[in-house]
């Protein structure tokens, strides 16, 4: 689950992470009231959407007067903000963060993620603050310094000090950074975060370290422990199809391709997307229907996949272990009686009762493209899109 910058900063404040003073605003009037309450001359008007790159897209403005706050708030509220993370469709800005200006001496980067390969968390810092970390990693990876954190031990004061020194800090800056790094780690681990990023992390003119920005994602599997975080959920920022899928306990992520995928099991779903790419196609989605591939589940899957107008064929790839393939086949047949599917559907069923499943599909009055292997399924699904022979 993603949250807005101003919400992440609320959690930071609660855990003694220094952030600028600011207030969220949902209208022009609220933005002006927020500015007046700050009692400062210089303020920052920031669009609040679940995406980075807002400044480059025109969603972050520095205002030096009340008139400028009014002008910028008018421009940003309601705008369709396009960034490298929103895609070309952009996001409508429905709220602003109005913050007091900060005396910035230096911009840095800090972030925490899980390193699955090392089975540890990794705390990353860089002197290249204000720049997309992906760009830094691609062009100057040596400028990213990492400290791996043992989950049982947590971030130590020595590790936090190492990170501060790596950022070329001195004197009281180091003490300030250690304090913030330990507090940021506490926020990350106690809230089951999957990502925490501060870009930029700044050193102020009086040598304090402050989080000027905040990006925070939570592991959905841990939300049952943090039900208070559900109050931060903004469904208007979520993809409608992904939101609909969650209502049926389907794991769905929209992609940019045109071959729809309906698979049971996350690993098999990843493998299915890979082989679609191998055969020259582009997967339109990740959809894991889990262990229950009955008529209702398949019908809901069809509806969600078909909500994407880019989908030109659908590949159903089910491995029958606990679930029997013939029951899945019957579920697919029943589902297509209730959902209007006007594009080619390729079905590959393997495992328990696969032979019986193939017979059900072959004898059905519906037009399926039955595949004999995963490679055959990918080739058929891609060919159905490109117009090649089957």
């Amino acid at each position: 689950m993603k949250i807005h910058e101003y919400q992440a900063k609320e959690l930071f404040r609660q855990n003694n992470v220094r952030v600028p003073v600011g207030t969220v605003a949902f209208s022009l009037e609220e933005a002006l009231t927020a500015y007046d309450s700050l009692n400062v001359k210089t303020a920052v008007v920031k669009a609040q959407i679940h995406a980075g790159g807002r400044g480059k897209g025109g969603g972050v403005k520095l205002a030096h007067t009340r008139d400028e706050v009014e002008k910028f708030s008018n421009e940003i509220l309601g705008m369709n903000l396009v960034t490298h993370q929103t895609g070309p469709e952009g996001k409508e800005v429905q709220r602003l963060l109005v913050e007091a200006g900060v005396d910035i001496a230096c911009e840095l980067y800090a972030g925490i993620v899980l390193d699955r390969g090392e089975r540890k968390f990794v705390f990353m810092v860089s002197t290249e603050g204000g720049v997309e970390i992906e760009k830094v990693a691609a062009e100057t990876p040596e400028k990213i310094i990492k400290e791996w954190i043992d989950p049982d031990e947590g971030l130590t004061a020595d590790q936090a000090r190492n990170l501060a020194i790596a950022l070329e800090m001195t004197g009281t800056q180091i003490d300030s950074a250690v304090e913030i790094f330990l507090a940021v780690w506490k926020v990350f681990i106690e809230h089951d975060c999957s990502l925490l990023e501060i870009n930029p992390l700044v050193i102020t003119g009086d040598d304090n370290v402050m989080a000027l920005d905040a990006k925070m994602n939570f592991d959905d599997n841990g939300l049952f422990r943090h039900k208070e975080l559900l109050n931060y959920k903004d469904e208007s920022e979520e993809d409608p199809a992904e939101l609909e899928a969650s209502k049926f306990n389907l794991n769905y992520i929209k992609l940019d391709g045109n071959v729809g995928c309906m698979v049971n099991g996350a690993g098999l779903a990843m493998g299915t997307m890979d082989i679609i790419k191998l055969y020259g196609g582009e997967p339109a989605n990740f959809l894991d229907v889990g262990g229950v591939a009955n008529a209702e589940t398949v019908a809901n899957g069809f509806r969600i996949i078909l909500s994407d107008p880019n989908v030109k064929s659908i590949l159903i790839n089910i491995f029958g272990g606990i679930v029997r393939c013939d029951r899945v086949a019957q579920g697919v047949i029943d589902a297509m009686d209730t959902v209007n599917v006007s594009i080619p559907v390729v079905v590959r069923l393997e495992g328990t009762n696969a032979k019986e499943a193939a017979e059900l599909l072959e004898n059905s009055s519906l037009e399926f493209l039955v595949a004999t292997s995963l490679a055959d399924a990918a080739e058929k699904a891609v060919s159905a899109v490109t117009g090649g022979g089957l």
Side-chain angles (χ1 to χ4, degrees):
M1 186 183 86
K2 297 179 181 179
I3 62 174
H4 289 290
E5 172 194 358
Y6 76 93
Q7 295 167 328
K9 285 179 173 175
E10 285 179 11
L11 291 176
F12 275 176
R13 288 191 189 95
Q14 293 168 15
N15 290 274
N16 299 316
V17 178
R18 283 180 292 276
V19 295
V21 179
T23 305
V24 65
F26 294 85
S27 66
L28 174 61
E29 292 74 20
E30 289 185 5
L32 291 173
T33 300
Y35 175 72
D36 293 339
S37 68
L38 292 175
N39 195 28
V40 296
K41 181 178 179 181
T42 301
V44 185
V45 181
K46 308 180 77 174
Q48 297 296 283
I49 61 171
H50 288 176
R54 292 167 294 162
K56 290 183 179 179
V60 179
K61 299 288 186 180
L62 190 64
H64 300 286
T65 65
R66 195 176 193 272
D67 287 344
E68 286 190 344
V69 171
E70 181 175 10
K71 176 178 181 292
F72 295 145
S73 298
N74 257 327
E75 291 174 354
I76 298 173
L77 265 176
M79 78 180 290
N80 191 53
L81 182 54
V82 179
T83 79
H84 68 286
Q85 290 187 6
T86 64
E89 66 276 8
K91 287 276 189 182
E92 181 185 352
V93 179
Q94 300 180 28
R95 60 192 80 187
L96 303 171
L97 174 59
V98 182
E99 281 189 333
V102 173
D103 178 17
I104 301 172
C106 180
E107 292 191 1
L108 308 164
Y109 169 89
I112 311 174
V113 294
L114 173 65
D115 186 332
R116 296 184 184 276
E118 294 289 333
R119 297 186 179 183
K120 294 181 179 180
F121 296 103
V122 58
F123 200 130
M124 301 176 291
V125 297
S126 176
T127 55
E128 302 301 294
V131 179
E132 292 92 351
I133 195 64
E134 297 85 359
K135 183 178 180 181
V136 179
E139 297 178 2
T140 53
E142 70 279 1
K143 292 186 177 181
I144 300 177
I145 298 93
K146 302 176 182 179
E147 282 282 347
W148 279 268
I149 305 169
D150 187 307
D152 293 328
E153 296 181 8
L155 181 72
T156 67
D158 285 343
Q159 287 179 308
R161 183 170 293 274
N162 291 340
L163 292 169
I165 293 171
L167 289 172
E168 302 172 3
M169 295 183 185
T170 57
T172 58
Q173 296 174 358
I174 295 177
D175 296 333
S176 181
V178 169
E179 182 183 339
I180 276 203
F181 290 160
L182 292 173
V184 164
W185 165 252
K186 180 183 177 184
V187 173
F188 180 90
I189 199 66
E190 290 188 355
H191 293 85
D192 289 316
C193 292
S194 56
L195 177 147
L196 190 155
E197 192 172 55
I198 305 171
N199 191 19
L201 176 79
V202 301
I203 300 175
T204 62
D206 57 359
D207 281 342
N208 277 312
V209 179
M210 175 181 289
L212 204 63
D213 195 9
K215 180 177 181 180
M216 207 177 293
N217 297 350
F218 303 100
D219 185 343
D220 290 345
N221 294 315
L223 286 176
F224 74 95
R225 288 192 288 261
H226 311 283
K227 293 183 179 178
E228 74 284 356
L229 295 177
L230 294 175
N231 295 325
Y232 286 147
K233 191 170 187 177
D234 182 0
E235 293 187 350
S236 68
E237 287 288 321
E238 298 187 30
D239 182 276
E242 294 181 14
L243 188 61
E244 184 71 11
S246 67
K247 296 177 182 177
F248 303 110
N249 295 317
L250 297 174
N251 297 308
Y252 173 88
I253 299 173
K254 185 181 180 301
L255 302 173
D256 297 328
N258 48 25
V259 179
C261 306
M262 191 185 307
V263 191
N264 68 328
L268 186 59
M270 296 295 289
T272 302
M273 292 190 295
D274 285 345
I275 200 165
I276 288 172
K277 292 276 288 186
L278 183 65
Y279 276 83
E282 291 292 336
N285 64 272
F286 171 101
L287 175 57
D288 174 13
V289 298
V292 183
N294 54 31
E296 182 182 4
T297 302
V298 173
N300 289 328
F302 274 134
R303 292 189 187 98
I304 291 162
I305 291 174
L306 292 171
S307 68
D308 181 356
N310 295 324
V311 174
K312 305 303 179 187
S313 73
I314 297 176
L315 170 53
I316 300 176
N317 184 21
I318 303 292
F319 177 77
I322 298 174
V323 60
R324 284 170 26 192
C325 289
D326 55 331
R327 289 186 177 177
V328 175
Q330 190 61 55
V332 172
I333 293 168
D334 293 344
M336 289 189 68
D337 281 335
T338 63
V339 180
N340 180 26
V341 182
S342 57
I343 59 176
V345 176
V346 180
V347 183
R348 182 254 181 174
L349 300 175
E350 192 60 67
T352 307
N353 288 7
K355 181 179 178 181
E356 291 83 351
E359 291 174 356
L360 280 171
L361 296 174
E362 293 285 0
N363 295 331
S364 168
S365 60
L366 300 170
E367 295 184 2
F368 295 107
L369 299 173
V370 180
T372 57
S373 67
L374 183 51
D376 182 44
E379 186 175 13
K380 280 183 164 64
V382 173
S383 294
V385 170
T386 60
L390 295 177

